[in-house]
Amino acid sequence: GSDIRIKDRLDNVTGVLEKIEQLTPFRYKLKGIDSPLTFIGLSAQDVQSVFPEVVSETYYNEEFGNILALDYSVLSAVIAVGGLKELHAKVKALEERVKALEG
């Protein structure tokens, strides 16, 4: 649930831009499936190192057993809101610096 009434707020997520820089989206095909379909996504292992809260373990099949899965909806919200806020703060600081330099 997203309702703040059921949450004990701990701290804000910071350093989102630096964490985003550690992630690399890529195209891929699923192993063992003969299909022309390609997908786009991230490595759960890469994401786990910077946003462990959005990674969970789930059973996949007998060959691979348990695998890591991403909660892309939560990850997207953190990246979008946190990243945009940090970028906006940087832009504002640069605008103020330019304004001061221009006198």
Side-chain angles (χ1 to χ4, degrees):
S2 294
D3 194 314
I4 192 66
R5 296 177 296 166
I6 64 169
K7 298 177 180 182
D8 285 329
R9 188 174 183 145
L10 301 176
D11 58 350
N12 293 335
V13 178
T14 59
V16 176
L17 290 177
E18 290 81 15
K19 292 173 182 172
I20 291 171
E21 287 183 19
Q22 296 178 48
L23 304 176
T24 303
F26 58 91
R27 288 183 181 79
Y28 64 93
K29 289 184 154 204
L30 291 174
K31 292 181 177 182
I33 297 176
D34 186 25
S35 171
L37 292 177
T38 59
F39 301 92
I40 190 166
L42 299 165
S43 159
Q45 285 80 355
D46 290 347
V47 174
Q48 189 174 41
S49 68
V50 293
F51 296 115
E53 300 88 349
V54 302
V55 180
S56 61
E57 196 171 305
T58 187
Y59 180 77
Y60 187 66
N61 64 21
E62 286 186 26
E63 179 184 356
F64 292 99
N66 287 348
I67 62 167
L68 297 180
L70 294 177
D71 184 339
Y72 276 101
S73 61
V74 173
L75 179 62
S76 298
V78 170
I79 287 174
V81 175
L84 286 173
K85 285 180 75 171
E86 289 179 17
L87 277 175
H88 185 252
K90 287 183 178 221
V91 168
K92 281 177 56 176
L94 287 171
E95 287 174 341
E96 290 173 11
R97 187 170 175 196
V98 168
K99 188 175 181 179
L101 289 171
E102 291 177 344

